[in-house]
Amino acid sequence: MNRRTFLRGTAAASAFAALAATGCGAGRTAESIVATRAGRVRGSVTAGVHAFKGVPYAAPPQGLNRYLPPRPVQPWTGLRDALTLGPTPPQPPTPPPLDFFAPPIPGEDYLNVNIWTREPGPARLPVMVWIHGGGLDTGSNGLYDGSAFARDGVVFVAMNYRLGAEGFLFLDDGVANVGLLDQISALEWVRDNIAAFGGDPGNVTIFGQSSGAMAVGTLLAMPRAKGLFRRAIMESGAGNICYSTDTAHEIGQRLIAKLGVAPTRDAVAAAGVERVLAAQSAVMSDLARQPNPQHWGGEPGCRVNMWRSTLDGTTLPAKPIDAVTAGAATEVDVLLGHNGEEGRLSLVPFRSLDSVTEEELTTAMRLYRLPVDRALPAYRAAYPGANPGALLAILQADWFYTIPGIRLADAHAGAPAATYMYEFTWRSPQFDGQLGSCHFLEVPFVFDQLHDRRMQWVTGPNPPQQLADLVHSTWVQFARTGRVNWPRYEPTRRTTMRLDLHPTVVDDPSPIRNLWNGVDLY
């Protein structure tokens, strides 16, 4: 019996017990009731998987509290339905063609979590907590279905957190990183409540993709997050996107100027959600004319990432790379990696790779502070036959994900806890094959959700299930044991698993790693 058959077999047995426990039978609606510390919630049961959606972990951030740290959730009486997705954080509309991914849901109670489990009660199953991506200004937990994790013996939790100004406005007033504090509040909720859903609060893995992975890497360095998780998975992000207080304050003042209000949180709150979102968009347009990858991005082929975590000295005392180097997170097992052609997601759907010019490629290299006279021939030699567009996609991956990931792995490798590295290299056939191994492509495989039509926008209609079997089971194994089926990463060999139809373990796979020596990525 292979691993997948065994996992599904045990899930089926648990499903029968769960259906019996909830009294479900022919003609009856399957439901499940769990008591949290704030009150009882009613979820649904499908194929033995219990789902609870839109469960609040903090109080609604209304009025001035939109811009202040999270407050405890208020208890309720009676039975609260958790049958449908909860409200999503305020955010600008997602532009086509990506606007169908996760439509916004109005409402104030958007600090909520979704939970999937196969066995509420004393099962003590491993827990995985997902932090979604979206550049810290878009996205929600509603896109991510955790039923495959629950099927395979994991209690899965996906959180919402405040985005944009609500989550990351810095006014040098003693408040910073509210969105990250939301994430910590959600993890505290997991610590206090997840046992009722069948989870083990002592075996929590946090994981995320893109800005969600950046958040995971940042939580490694946050004192308030210590002890709330045992393992961490970073998919395309390594906590390498942070602002100094000076830059964060400049961003905040630009927003204040667009709003025309006093530089206080109550004045921003009084301006209203729509005005703040419009001001954010206006500031992003201004910043796009001043590309600066060390600060807010906007270089060729990249959008402006206006909001970042702030090194305020209190909630986030040091850059994550420096904190990990100094010994933070030595007890946390780490699995991290990236995709082979990350930048294609921001290039291909909006323009052909063939339209990228040599000037745009060299401009990006200069903005990344690479010596163009050495970097350009080095990239051409490493990737023969690649045109400027293909090279720009790889260059962006190296700047944002590959090299920062290697540096974080190097910093963590000496810890007693394990460090593992992967590279996802399967290439999507979408957009006539130009999408390649782009940003986000690994997510449908991680979640074993290849049938999801939204995910097929990046995977194509017939993605390989055997690769999803491998990737998903690897993530589950790591959450359960802290180990995977390839050697630990260490700086002398940099052993990395290439995840593809024919997975291969390689040493030091980046052909241009040394080119980035001495380049400040932070």
Side-chain angles (χ1 to χ4, degrees), residues 354-375:
D354 296 336
S355 70
V356 175
T357 67
E358 194 81 9
E359 181 181 4
E360 287 175 311
L361 175 62
T362 56
T363 295
M365 285 183 174
R366 282 195 294 269
L367 289 170
Y368 291 147
R369 300 178 181 174
L370 285 174
V372 176
D373 58 333
R374 289 195 297 113

Side-chain angles (χ1 to χ4, degrees), residues 7 18 59 76-77 131 147 230 256 269 286 313 360 415 419:
L7 288 171
W76 58 85
T77 58
I131 305 177
S147 58
R230 185 173 177 182
I256 292 294
D286 291 345
E360 287 175 311
T419 308

Side-chain angles (χ1 to χ4, degrees), residues 457-496:
W457 186 85
V458 291
T459 65
N462 297 298
Q465 181 61 51
Q466 68 268 33
L467 183 56
D469 292 348
L470 169 66
V471 176
H472 174 76
S473 64
T474 297
W475 266 233
V476 169
Q477 178 185 347
F478 181 78
R480 183 179 292 116
T481 67
R483 300 295 180 266
V484 295
N485 295 331
W486 64 88
R488 288 172 61 154
Y489 179 96
E490 44 82 21
T492 58
R493 295 187 63 180
R494 297 191 168 87
T495 301
T496 301

Side-chain angles (χ1 to χ4, degrees), residues 171 324 366 435 453 468 486:
L171 297 175
V324 171
R366 282 195 294 269
L435 203 54
R453 294 292 297 275
W486 64 88

Side-chain angles (χ1 to χ4, degrees), residues 89-462:
Q91 56 194 280
T94 303
L98 305 178
D99 52 332
F100 71 96
F101 265 83
I105 301 172
E108 296 293 329
D109 230 339
Y110 49 83
L111 296 184
N112 61 63
V113 291
N114 303 326
I115 309 105
W116 281 263
T117 178
R118 76 179 189 198
E119 199 171 345
R124 306 286 287 188
L125 299 169
V127 181
M128 298 185 74
V129 181
W130 175 254
I131 305 177
H132 69 79
L136 299 182
D137 59 3
T138 62
S140 75
N141 60 6
L143 175 62
Y144 305 95
D145 187 313
S147 58
F149 285 106
R151 176 199 71 204
D152 293 341
V154 169
V155 178
F156 174 86
V157 181
M159 68 170 75
N160 279 336
Y161 53 95
R162 276 173 283 184
L163 304 169
E166 289 188 11
F168 298 93
L169 177 65
F170 183 77
L171 297 175
D172 203 15
D173 58 355
V175 178
N177 298 315
V178 169
L180 294 172
L181 296 179
D182 287 345
Q183 296 170 11
I184 291 173
S185 180
L187 290 171
E188 291 170 341
W189 183 93
V190 168
R191 177 196 62 199
D192 297 339
N193 292 278
I194 207 63
F197 295 87
D200 180 358
N203 187 9
V204 174
T205 297
I206 60 172
F207 70 133
Q209 183 266 343
S210 193
S211 61
M214 297 290 184
V216 170
T218 304
L219 289 168
L220 295 175
M222 297 185 72
R224 279 191 53 183
K226 187 175 178 61
L228 293 175
F229 54 92
R230 185 173 177 182
R231 319 192 203 284
I233 303 174
M234 286 162 272
E235 303 171 29
S236 305
N240 49 297
I241 300 295
C242 299
Y243 277 147
S244 68
T245 53
D246 288 344
T247 302
H249 190 255
E250 177 188 347
I251 296 293
Q253 293 307 304
R254 285 175 180 258
L255 183 75
I256 292 294
K258 294 292 184 185
L259 288 171
V261 300
T264 64
R265 290 178 185 269
D266 55 351
V268 176
V273 173
E274 295 306 319
R275 282 189 61 199
V276 171
L277 291 176
Q280 286 183 192
S281 296
V283 174
M284 289 179 71
S285 295
D286 291 345
L287 297 176
R289 293 189 285 270
Q290 307 167 48
N292 188 331
Q294 284 76 21
H295 288 170
W296 47 74
E299 60 272 32
C302 287
R303 77 180 184 101
V304 168
N305 290 111
M306 176 175 165
W307 301 107
R308 301 184 178 188
S309 54
T310 300
L311 297 164
D312 67 320
T314 303
T315 62
L316 184 57
K319 295 176 183 178
I321 184 68
D322 294 337
V324 171
T325 300
T330 57
E331 74 288 358
V332 177
D333 297 317
V334 167
L335 169 64
L336 75 164
H338 60 276
N339 297 353
E341 300 163 304
E342 299 266 5
R344 288 184 179 232
L345 185 65
S346 62
L347 289 167
V348 171
F350 307 99
R351 60 186 295 190
S352 167
L353 290 183
D354 296 336
S355 70
V356 175
T357 67
E358 194 81 9
E359 181 181 4
E360 287 175 311
L361 175 62
T362 56
T363 295
M365 285 183 174
R366 282 195 294 269
L367 289 170
Y368 291 147
R369 300 178 181 174
L370 285 174
V372 176
D373 58 333
R374 289 195 297 113
L376 190 56
Y379 269 89
R380 283 182 172 146
Y383 303 98
N387 66 15
L391 290 177
L392 180 59
I394 296 167
L395 177 70
Q396 290 171 356
D398 289 339
W399 163 264
F400 280 105
Y401 312 114
T402 308
I403 303 303
I406 290 172
R407 291 184 184 180
L408 187 66
D410 285 349
H412 188 264
T419 308
Y420 297 97
M421 180 76 82
Y422 77 87
E423 182 181 15
F424 187 88
T425 56
W426 181 77
R427 305 189 78 251
S428 168
Q430 291 292 82
F431 293 88
D432 296 323
Q434 285 205 340
L435 203 54
S437 53
C438 68
H439 195 58
F440 187 82
L441 182 60
E442 88 290 350
V443 171
F445 296 86
V446 167
F447 279 76
D448 193 9
Q449 292 293 318
L450 301 186
H451 60 277
D452 189 320
R453 294 292 297 275
R454 296 168 299 178
M455 299 299 186
Q456 289 178 3
W457 186 85
V458 291
T459 65
N462 297 298

